[in-house]
Amino acid sequence: MTVKDLEKVQKTFKEAGQDYQVELESGKIIIVGPSDIVSSEIGIRLSAFLFVWVNPRRLGRVFDSAGGFILPDANLTAPDVSFVRAARLRQSPRYFGELVPDLVVEIKSQSDRIKPLEKKINNFIELGAQVGILIDPDEETVTVYRQEGEPIVLGNEDILTVPELFPGWQLPIAELWPPIFTEAETQTEA
């Protein structure tokens, strides 16, 4: 199958009132199920932290898990969070991105296994992504992949930095995890 074939399948789904997220991997269509809400919240938290840094500095574009990219290997995929530098994408097309993002982030959901996520990130790196990040909420770790060197595993006491894309940006790892609200915080005055 090709991206054009995938578009036909998506159109058929839409006409049937179905809204499936699909990816194309090695000529096969993969239906991507919804994430658990912890993974979803981590994705939106990271996206928000990135966006408030990137946007005022006009560094580029931050995308969520619905943003699809057609890669040089003819696969169509959507990382959980991604970033493309402004110099590489001056204007977003009303189509899939036909490039490899500079940053790709995968967040392990409850049903995911780590090895396929590592493989996906390494594929992005091999195709030209500068940085890949794998977030594991179960272990509360963040693994950072770069084109050179071994992956670096960060824990709750560490700070995530990506100086090659976001000079000066820092994010304490503990800020990624969804908060637990105290009872006092949940009380509203009527």
Side-chain angles (χ1 to χ4, degrees), residues 1-189:
M1 296 201 96
T2 66
V3 171
K4 293 296 180 196
D5 296 323
L6 181 88
E7 289 172 339
K8 291 175 188 173
V9 170
Q10 284 181 312
K11 183 179 178 187
T12 303
F13 283 154
K14 185 176 181 179
E15 289 169 354
Q18 304 298 315
D19 188 23
Y20 294 113
Q21 184 169 336
V22 293
E23 294 185 351
L24 184 65
E25 184 179 316
S26 301
K28 297 177 184 169
I29 291 178
I30 299 179
I31 296 176
V32 182
S35 292
D36 61 79
I37 63 173
V38 166
S39 298
S40 176
E41 187 173 357
I42 291 168
I44 201 70
R45 291 175 69 81
L46 177 59
S47 296
F49 291 130
L50 282 175
F51 184 80
V52 299
W53 183 265
V54 165
N55 193 55
R57 292 165 180 81
R58 299 182 57 79
L59 297 175
R61 302 177 189 285
V62 178
F63 299 97
D64 70 5
S65 62
F69 292 88
I70 300 172
L71 304 178
D73 62 5
N75 287 334
L76 170 64
T77 190
D80 291 323
V81 177
S82 55
F83 168 80
V84 178
R85 288 178 289 123
R88 296 186 59 230
L89 190 61
R90 293 181 58 207
Q91 181 176 357
S92 291
R94 190 75 165 133
Y95 191 62
F96 303 116
E98 296 186 57
L99 72 164
V100 177
D102 295 295
L103 168 72
V104 295
V105 180
E106 290 294 328
I107 303 164
K108 181 187 178 294
S109 66
Q110 189 176 9
S111 61
D112 284 335
R113 293 192 348 258
I114 288 290
K115 290 293 180 196
L117 295 175
E118 290 173 337
K119 181 181 175 188
K120 189 173 183 180
I121 288 176
N122 282 319
N123 186 57
F124 273 113
I125 297 291
E126 288 169 14
L127 292 172
Q130 288 189 22
V131 179
I133 297 174
L134 175 56
I135 300 174
D136 185 346
D138 299 324
E139 300 296 324
E140 292 191 348
T141 58
V142 173
T143 305
V144 182
Y145 299 78
R146 290 186 166 86
Q147 292 179 347
E148 301 293 324
E150 292 297 311
I152 299 168
V153 180
L154 304 173
N156 278 329
E157 303 304 317
D158 296 315
I159 295 176
L160 175 64
T161 62
V162 186
E164 57 269 74
L165 297 174
F166 316 117
W169 180 74
Q170 297 184 348
L171 176 63
I173 298 300
E175 289 292 318
L176 284 172
W177 317 128
I180 298 172
F181 298 114
T182 65
E183 189 171 334
E185 291 173 315
T186 63
Q187 304 302 312
T188 59
E189 294 182 30

